Amino acid sequence: QVQLVESGGGLVQPGGSLRLSCAASGSIFTVDDMGWFRQAPGKQRELVAIITSGGSITYRDSVKGRFTISRDNAKKTVYLQMNSLKPEDTAVYYCNARVNLRLQDYWGQGTQVTVSS
């Protein structure tokens, strides 16, 4: 089927940076929308950023100017560059991909991002 493998999470100090990666593999003919969501303990999962196959990008307000989403279509990979990290960014980050003309939707396994002194 389709598998999304995430990497790049970890522990950083406030103001630090991390880059998350998510590579898709399997029965994929088109990679349509790719994005990142996050979920903190006791909170609902929330959208962080999405990039469409056409290059349109949406960020949630709290990460604008600090996070950058990008994709490498040849590698079927989406990235999230996270700068100026704040403690409130602490969460499990999940990548998401809508593939095969947006008929299929898949999630990565999640990677922990912790921002703390």
Side-chain angles (χ1 to χ4, degrees):
Q1 195 62 345
V2 174
Q3 185 178 16
L4 303 182
V5 178
E6 301 181 32
S7 63
L11 172 65
V12 296
Q13 295 182 351
S17 297
L18 287 172
R19 189 175 75 155
L20 307 183
S21 299
C22 176
S25 62
S27 301
I28 301 173
F29 298 94
T30 64
V31 182
D32 302 300
D33 308 319
M34 304 188 80
W36 293 92
F37 294 71
R38 66 187 182 188
Q39 189 167 21
K43 300 286 189 177
Q44 261 284 7
R45 187 173 298 186
E46 64 184 21
L47 171 69
V48 178
I50 287 178
I51 182 168
T52 70
S53 60
S56 297
I57 295 173
T58 301
Y59 297 102
R60 73 177 299 105
D61 287 343
S62 62
V63 308
K64 288 179 179 177
R66 300 188 297 120
F67 291 9
T68 302
I69 188 171
S70 61
R71 62 191 287 168
D72 185 328
N73 291 329
K75 296 180 178 179
K76 297 183 177 66
T77 299
V78 62
Y79 306 93
L80 186 67
Q81 179 66 47
M82 309 165 66
N83 299 326
S84 302
L85 283 161
K86 304 175 180 180
E88 50 262 47
D89 296 317
T90 296
V92 177
Y93 283 69
Y94 298 90
C95 69
N96 174 266
R98 290 180 176 177
V99 302
N100 299 334
L101 305 180
R102 295 176 176 169
L103 295 177
Q104 305 293 119
D105 191 286
Y106 296 93
W107 292 90
Q109 81 279 9
T111 184
Q112 178 70 49
V113 171
T114 302
V115 185
S116 179
S117 298

